[in-house]
Amino acid sequence: MRSRQWLVIHVAAQTVLRALVLVILYAVFVNTGSLAADGIVTKRGTALATACERVGPLSRSGLGWYWQCEGKITWQDGKQGTSTFTGSDLTPSNKTEPAPVAWREIRNRGHQITVEKPRPFVTFGRLMVVPLFGLAVFGARIPGVPPLPTDERTEYRRKRRLQLWQPLMIPVGWGLLVAGGLATAAPAVIPGMAVVTLVVAYVALIVMWALSRNRARKGFPEPTLLSSDSQSACLAGGHFLRVLGGLGVIFGGILGFGNWLGVLGVVAIPLALVTFGQRLLLVTNRHRRQFDGTVGNSAAS
């Protein structure tokens, strides 16, 4: 009976998680201007807000609080019309200050009327579609849902603490993806570096996805304890990665000083190197204590 209850809780939690991810995906896609950038502009005009209301926390604009306004449009040819503008594209200030708008013809999907304003994060929004949609389809493990028995939880934590790099793949992958995506909204500090960051990010997320699928089928593998020689090599590698990454962060910060979004595309990979280096040092010391028999089961604490 208890296992059935936990199964229901697990299914409910995954349903809520995936629905939330889809809402976040929609909000990111809309509010970065990815939808508004579609289509070919066939005419332009201006719009004045006639009535506005605050909507949220869930609306046509996605997750959050936004202005939704009815707008009266005057096209360049003198014709007039009305449209509803979401996502704070029009605000109460536009009752007296007209906003430029465009009529966009969308292939096989009719048309849309959008406010013409800078949308530097369009690329970022489009880059987030695939990983967020993948997260919505495959879900993710929610810590403690359902709760594991004490002995299983202790064993799980022990195995995870002894893994060298696997636990970092998800946070590093998402971090690189966000950093590289945001960097596309600013002038490049090093040409092409944001693209390299994005490629590495996708590789990291794909590797972690493959590992998680394998873990779901075969269970959490037992980490192999490092030999003395391997421990020495990992310690040396950890120190090297920290120094190399630290120098990269300093170089990128100096090179792009003031262009902070652009700097993200340069320092993201060096920061990942620092993170992996620190992880190598930390976990190698855990392996050393395990290998020497001085820790035993306390590795799960």
Side-chain angles (χ1 to χ4, degrees):
M1 181 65 179
R2 185 177 179 82
S3 61
R4 181 178 297 178
Q5 290 176 342
W6 290 131
L7 178 61
V8 171
I9 293 173
H10 174 69
V11 171
Q14 287 296 316
T15 301
V16 171
L17 170 68
R18 297 177 193 209
L20 178 61
V21 171
L22 286 175
V23 170
I24 292 173
L25 169 59
Y26 177 77
V28 169
F29 200 57
V30 170
N31 291 291
T32 55
S34 298
L35 286 177
D38 288 343
I40 300 174
V41 177
T42 57
K43 61 180 178 178
R44 287 186 165 88
T46 59
L48 284 172
T50 56
C52 294
E53 63 174 333
R54 200 71 166 164
V55 296
L58 190 62
S59 65
R60 290 169 57 187
S61 300
L63 194 63
W65 295 91
Y66 306 91
W67 285 110
Q68 180 173 298
C69 297
E70 296 296 323
K72 182 178 180 180
I73 304 171
T74 302
W75 299 107
Q76 289 177 335
D77 59 7
K79 294 182 180 179
Q80 293 187 329
T82 60
S83 183
T84 300
F85 295 87
T86 60
S88 296
D89 276 347
L90 289 187
T91 67
S93 66
N94 294 117
K95 289 183 178 181
T96 56
E97 180 183 345
V101 296
W103 179 293
R104 292 176 175 270
E105 294 289 347
I106 305 174
R107 186 176 182 179
N108 299 326
R109 290 193 288 123
H111 73 275
Q112 64 175 344
I113 299 173
T114 62
V115 173
E116 293 288 89
K117 61 181 182 180
R119 302 183 189 275
F121 298 105
V122 169
T123 301
F124 171 69
R126 291 174 174 172
L127 288 167
M128 295 295 289
V129 170
V130 172
L132 283 174
F133 184 74
L135 184 59
V137 171
F138 294 103
R141 181 180 178 273
I142 303 175
V145 182
L148 296 173
T150 302
D151 56 341
E152 291 185 25
R153 184 170 65 252
T154 300
E155 184 66 9
Y156 174 85
R157 292 184 62 191
R158 183 188 69 82
K159 291 178 179 179
R160 184 177 177 84
R161 282 169 57 85
L162 291 175
Q163 290 184 320
L164 287 174
W165 53 268
Q166 293 91 332
L168 291 181
M169 296 303 285
I170 288 180
V172 166
W174 281 102
L176 291 176
L177 182 63
V178 171
L182 292 176
T184 62
V189 175
I190 298 178
M193 194 62 196
V195 175
V196 173
T197 301
L198 291 167
V199 170
V200 175
Y202 275 107
V203 169
L205 292 175
I206 290 171
V207 168
M208 197 59 237
W209 173 81
L211 289 174
S212 64
R213 293 297 96 190
N214 184 67
R215 186 181 300 165
R217 292 192 300 267
K218 301 180 180 180
F220 211 115
E222 176 68 36
T224 302
L225 290 180
L226 298 173
S227 65
S228 297
D229 290 341
S230 296
Q231 291 172 18
S232 299
C234 285
L235 288 174
H239 287 298
F240 174 75
L241 289 177
R242 288 203 309 178
V243 171
L244 180 64
L247 291 175
V249 171
I250 294 172
F251 174 76
I254 294 174
L255 193 63
F257 184 78
N259 177 15
W260 302 118
L261 286 181
V263 166
L264 283 177
V266 177
V267 305
I269 290 179
L271 282 173
L273 294 179
V274 172
T275 303
F276 277 110
Q278 185 61 37
R279 175 77 185 185
L280 277 177
L281 297 177
L282 179 66
V283 178
T284 300
N285 286 326
R286 291 174 182 167
H287 277 260
R288 174 176 291 173
R289 293 195 295 271
Q290 285 275 87
F291 193 79
D292 294 339
T294 58
V295 174
N297 291 333
S298 65
S301 62

